[in-house]
Amino acid sequence: MYENVAARVPEAIVKDIDYVAKEESTDKSKVIRELLSSAVKEKLIDLALEKYSKRDVSLGRAAELARIPLADFMVRAAERKIPMNYSVESL
């Protein structure tokens, strides 16, 4: 299901969207949906990593918030050098 969302964006971004749509032989609406989806996914991961690094949530919960598999979340945390919040006993 789709819902209309309106946003004002700078003219330069509109030109970039037009360019991408032309290069991919598609319409602007599809380009915007794909770019927005990708950006929202990354933002969810960023927010979950932030919560995890502050120890606000567990590793499993952070992966759920990020909406990615636990192993992928662990890779993302390692890439940002966020230590695993586990004691020796927990392991």
Side-chain angles (χ1 to χ4, degrees):
M1 186 170 125
Y2 289 97
E3 184 176 329
N4 285 330
V5 176
R8 297 178 62 83
V9 296
E11 187 176 316
I13 291 176
V14 174
K15 287 181 181 179
D16 290 342
I17 291 168
D18 287 336
Y19 173 76
V20 172
K22 182 179 177 185
E23 287 295 311
E24 294 184 351
S25 301
T26 190
D27 60 281
K28 288 179 6 179
S29 182
K30 182 178 179 192
V31 171
I32 292 168
R33 279 193 308 273
E34 289 174 353
L35 292 171
L36 187 56
S37 176
S38 177
V40 169
K41 286 177 185 177
E42 283 302 311
K43 188 63 171 181
L44 289 173
I45 293 168
D46 289 345
L47 291 170
L49 285 165
E50 184 178 333
K51 285 180 179 280
Y52 180 70
S53 70
K54 292 180 180 178
R55 297 179 181 240
D56 291 341
V57 296
S58 68
L59 182 64
R61 179 66 181 135
E64 288 174 4
L65 292 172
R67 296 191 177 112
I68 60 175
L70 180 61
D72 292 347
F73 186 83
M74 292 172 76
V75 168
R76 293 291 193 111
E79 288 171 350
R80 295 201 190 176
K81 301 187 182 353
I82 298 171
M84 295 292 112
N85 298 335
Y86 282 103
S87 65
V88 174
E89 296 81 27
S90 296
L91 290 173

